[in-house]
């Protein structure tokens, strides 16, 4: 009797090419089998391949797992797949069909459906490489090809990425970028595989925005104005880390630095452009104008002249900060409020015309100065207020210039 038990235990512990979830070290292994369950690790195999990855579980009436026992296997459709009766090794012999696999032990049995698939000859992926902008996703189209070039559908496809720090791929082939770089997406189906090279790049620039957002930017002569530019995607989102290049089409009038600082060099206009990644650009017009005049003064502020004499007045224009401004290119207008007494030229030269007083003004770009007070006196010396009473004949030719004559008959006024 002990010898018979030992023989039975030895037979129960045979490994016959399947996985049975228990050990065989106790007398409980000799308990009768109440149930058998059969779980394949895969439900199909391609034509011409073999399979033997079954998971068989034996349990007694109390639900306890039993040690392995001798098993027998059969296929109900051997034209689709045959099976070794003792080892459970399946061989796929007919494509496109299904068979029922049965495992038996001690009068109990379990069954599992098993398919034989048409073999995959190749995996076609188009394109085999592409660039993927950082903020977008892209699905990879895959075509499985069977014998004679026939397309195959409804097959399990495995996806993987060689560099998960650059991009990941979903179970349906959608690639999601993580960071700029390179990765390889591998596609497996059946015994075949294909790969796609993916380069994750910065998102393409769709447009450029210059700030302040005005088509014409006023720049004062001799002064500067700061512009900024932003690179935008198609959704008008700001793209960071891009290269922006500034340019002026008329640097004589206005130049622009690499940081967008405009300098007004001469009166006129220039087109300032900002180019992003050499793919998109925007431009504005820089209009260089004089600095506004805040005040105008005249020098000297008082002038005394004799009739016929002249004096030069100087106009000084200043901006709001008190800086002296050039009069070049500005509108300068001189006026006298009493021209019979004093006139003023368009260059600021005052001429005495008659005895009396007058106020002379100058306006620069519309800003009017305080007046210069002009007094015009007779052209005689205080020592001889009346030339008719002088001890010798004189002729006054201009201002304070006197000419002595030898003949009283030649006296003239």
């Amino acid at each position: 009797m002990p010898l018979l038990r030992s023989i039975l235990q030895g037979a129960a512990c045979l490994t016959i090419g399947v996985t049975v979830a228990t050990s065989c070290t106790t007398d409980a292994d000799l308990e009768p089998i109440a149930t058998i369950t059969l779980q394949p690790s895969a439900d199909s195999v391609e034509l011409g391949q073999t399979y033997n990855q079954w998971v068989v579980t034996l349990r007694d009436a109390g639900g306890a797992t039993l040690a392995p026992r001798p098993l027998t296997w059969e296929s109900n459709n051997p034209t689709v797949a045959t099976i070794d009766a003792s080892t459970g090794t399946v061989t796929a012999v007919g494509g496109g069909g299904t068979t029922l696999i049965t495992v038996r032990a001690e009068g109990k049995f379990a069954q599992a459906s098993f398919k034989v698939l048409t073999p995959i000859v190749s995996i076609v992926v188009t394109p085999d490489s592409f660039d993927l902008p950082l903020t977008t996703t892209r699905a990879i189209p895959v075509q499985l090809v069977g014998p004679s070039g026939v397309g195959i559908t409804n097959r399990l496809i495995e996806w993987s990425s060689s560099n998960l720090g650059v991009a990941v791929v979903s179970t349906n082939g959608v690639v999601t970028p993580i960071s700029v770089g390179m990765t390889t997406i591998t596609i497996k189906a059946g015994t075949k595989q294909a790969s796609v090279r993916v380069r994750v790049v910065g998102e393409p620039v769709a447009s450029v925005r210059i700030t302040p957002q005005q088509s014409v930017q006023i720049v004062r002569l001799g002064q500067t104005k700061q512009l900024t530019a932003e690179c935008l995607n198609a959704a008008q989102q700001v793209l960071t880390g891009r290269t922006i290049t500034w340019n002026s089409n008329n640097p004589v009038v206005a130049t622009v630095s690499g940081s967008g600082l405009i300098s007004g060099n001469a009166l006129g206009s220039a087109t300032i452009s900002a180019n992003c990644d050499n793919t998109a650009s925007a431009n504005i017009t820089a209009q260089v104008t004089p600095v506004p005049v805040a005040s105008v003064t005249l020098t000297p502020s008082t002038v005394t002249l004799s009739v016929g004499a002249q004096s030069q007045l100087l106009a000084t224009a200043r901006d709001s900060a008190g800086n002296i401004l050039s009069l070049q290119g500005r509108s300068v207008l001189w006026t006298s409020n009493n021209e019979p007494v004093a006139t003023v030229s368009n260059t600021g030269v005052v001429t005495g015309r008659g005895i009396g007083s007058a106020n002379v003004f100058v306006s620069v770009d519309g800003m009017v100065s305080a007046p210069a007070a002009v007094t015009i006196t007779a052209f005689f010396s205080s020592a001889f207020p009346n030339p008719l009473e002088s001890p010798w004949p004189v002729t006054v030719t201009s201002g304070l210039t006197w000419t002595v004559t030898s003949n009283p008959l030649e006296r003239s006024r």
Side-chain angles (χ1 to χ4, degrees):
M1 194 68 171
L3 178 59
L4 177 59
R5 176 172 294 182
S6 175
I7 292 173
L8 291 175
Q9 287 180 339
C13 293
L14 291 174
T15 301
I16 53 176
V18 297
T19 302
V20 182
T22 188
S23 62
C24 51
T25 58
T26 68
D27 290 343
D29 292 336
L30 299 177
E31 290 293 326
I33 297 174
T35 61
I36 300 177
T37 59
L38 177 64
Q39 295 177 325
S41 59
D43 65 351
S44 60
V45 69
E46 286 189 1
L47 179 65
Q49 292 184 316
T50 60
Y51 174 83
N52 192 2
Q53 297 297 319
W54 306 102
V55 178
V56 179
T57 303
L58 310 177
R59 288 186 173 86
D60 61 18
T65 302
L66 301 177
R69 307 288 176 91
L71 305 175
T72 57
W73 300 84
E74 59 189 61
S75 167
N76 80 330
N77 192 350
T79 60
V80 172
T82 60
I83 190 168
D84 187 287
S86 60
T87 65
T89 299
V90 175
T91 300
V93 295
T98 301
T99 186
L100 192 66
I101 301 298
T102 304
V103 59
R104 301 179 185 274
E106 299 179 8
K108 306 296 182 182
F109 70 93
Q111 292 179 319
S113 181
F114 199 75
K115 295 180 289 186
V116 174
L117 305 175
T118 301
I120 296 173
V121 176
S122 62
I123 300 175
V124 178
V125 183
T126 305
D128 59 2
S129 66
F130 58 84
D131 290 345
L132 183 64
L134 188 58
T135 58
T136 62
T137 61
R138 178 169 177 173
I140 298 178
V142 172
Q143 177 62 63
L144 306 181
V145 180
S148 301
V150 176
I152 298 176
T153 59
N154 299 322
R155 297 291 287 271
L156 177 66
I157 299 177
E158 299 178 6
W159 301 84
S160 63
S161 170
S162 65
N163 192 341
L164 298 178
V166 171
V168 296
V169 61
S170 68
T171 55
N172 58 352
V174 176
V175 181
T176 300
I178 304 299
S179 63
V180 174
M182 297 283 296
T183 187
T184 298
I185 304 299
T186 300
I187 304 102
K188 293 183 179 180
T191 61
K192 303 300 180 180
Q193 74 175 40
S195 62
V196 177
R197 181 185 61 82
V198 177
R199 181 176 66 173
V200 177
V201 298
E203 188 172 6
V205 179
S207 61
V208 179
R209 179 170 60 205
I210 297 177
T211 305
Q213 296 185 54
Q214 298 170 339
S215 60
V216 177
Q217 302 285 345
I218 301 300
V219 184
R220 302 306 184 187
L221 181 64
Q223 297 185 0
T224 61
K225 185 168 188 177
Q226 181 67 59
L227 300 181
T228 59
E230 295 174 315
C231 305
L232 308 176
N233 63 11
Q236 296 297 289
Q237 297 170 322
V238 176
L239 304 174
T240 60
R242 303 309 175 92
T243 301
I244 298 175
T245 304
W246 293 90
N247 182 63
S248 170
N249 77 333
N250 192 355
V252 172
V253 170
T255 56
V256 61
S257 71
S259 62
L261 183 66
I262 301 176
S263 298
N265 302 325
L267 299 179
S269 63
T271 299
I272 305 298
S273 60
N275 184 288
C276 188
D277 283 356
N278 292 321
T279 58
S281 64
N283 58 70
I284 58 92
T285 298
Q287 188 70 45
V288 181
T289 62
V291 177
V293 177
S295 64
V296 181
T297 57
L298 286 175
T299 306
S301 60
T302 60
V303 176
T304 300
L305 294 174
S306 60
V307 175
Q310 294 180 326
S311 180
Q312 176 71 58
L313 294 181
L314 298 177
T316 303
R318 288 182 169 82
D319 62 16
S320 58
N323 300 310
I324 296 177
L325 303 174
S326 171
L327 300 183
Q328 182 180 5
R330 297 183 185 273
S331 172
V332 180
L333 180 63
W334 295 86
T335 58
S336 168
N337 72 341
N338 194 351
E339 291 191 346
V341 172
T343 59
V344 60
S345 71
N346 58 7
T347 60
V349 176
V350 178
T351 301
R353 299 299 183 184
I355 297 173
S357 60
N359 287 329
V360 174
F361 302 85
V362 65
S363 70
V364 179
D365 287 351
M367 181 62 65
V368 181
S369 68
V374 178
T375 301
I376 306 300
T377 65
F379 43 72
F380 308 113
S381 168
S382 59
F384 305 103
N386 188 340
L388 299 178
E389 297 176 356
S390 60
W392 55 80
V394 295
T395 299
V396 179
T397 58
S398 66
L400 299 178
T401 303
W402 295 67
T403 302
V404 179
T405 62
S406 59
N407 186 348
L409 296 178
E410 295 178 0
R411 237 185 288 177
S412 64
R413 296 182 58 187

